[in-house]
Amino acid sequence: MASQGLRPHMHATARVTAPAAPKLGPVSSRLLPSLLVLGVAYTVGSYVRNQLSREAGAMDRIFSQQNTAEVEAARKKALQVEVNGDPRNNLLNFLGWS
């Protein structure tokens, strides 16, 4: 039996292990995860903003076809815009702001 735990037919280079991953310094070990989280958050935020913009454009095209003078007059009459104010300008309608 070999003293190194090798079988007689194994070559000496078979016991060489892969080098260990380099150790990060204290600054890198704190900075790298933070940068990774910020990068992922930025990517997800950009994707969501892009999708919302695309959907808003599609909805604007749909509603622009319906915004005729007759439709606006019926809307103002039904919502009593002169009495209650226009709900499009309401502070709670911040999703409709552009």
Side-chain angles (χ1 to χ4, degrees), residues 3-63:
S3 64
Q4 298 171 352
L6 296 175
R7 294 187 185 124
H9 64 276
M10 291 180 69
H11 194 270
T13 58
R15 66 185 158 134
V16 175
T17 59
K23 299 210 181 229
L24 297 174
V27 174
S28 297
S29 65
R30 279 189 233 151
L31 191 61
L32 216 52
S34 299
L35 287 176
L36 183 67
V37 167
L38 288 175
V40 168
Y42 177 78
T43 303
V44 169
S46 297
Y47 176 76
V48 168
R49 183 176 42 178
N50 185 23
Q51 291 297 320
L52 287 175
S53 176
R54 182 180 298 162
E55 288 299 317
M59 291 296 163
D60 286 345
R61 282 191 298 277
I62 291 170
F63 286 119

Side-chain angles (χ1 to χ4, degrees), residues 52-53 56-57 59-60 88-91 93-98:
L52 287 175
S53 176
M59 291 296 163
D60 286 345
R88 292 176 182 165
N89 299 331
N90 189 337
L91 195 65
N93 190 22
F94 63 92
L95 291 177
W97 296 350
S98 56

Side-chain angles (χ1 to χ4, degrees), residues 60-80:
D60 286 345
R61 282 191 298 277
I62 291 170
F63 286 119
S64 69
Q65 296 170 356
Q66 298 174 358
N67 285 343
T68 62
E70 298 84 20
V71 172
E72 285 295 317
R75 178 188 162 278
K76 285 183 180 182
K77 182 179 177 187
L79 295 177
Q80 300 175 351

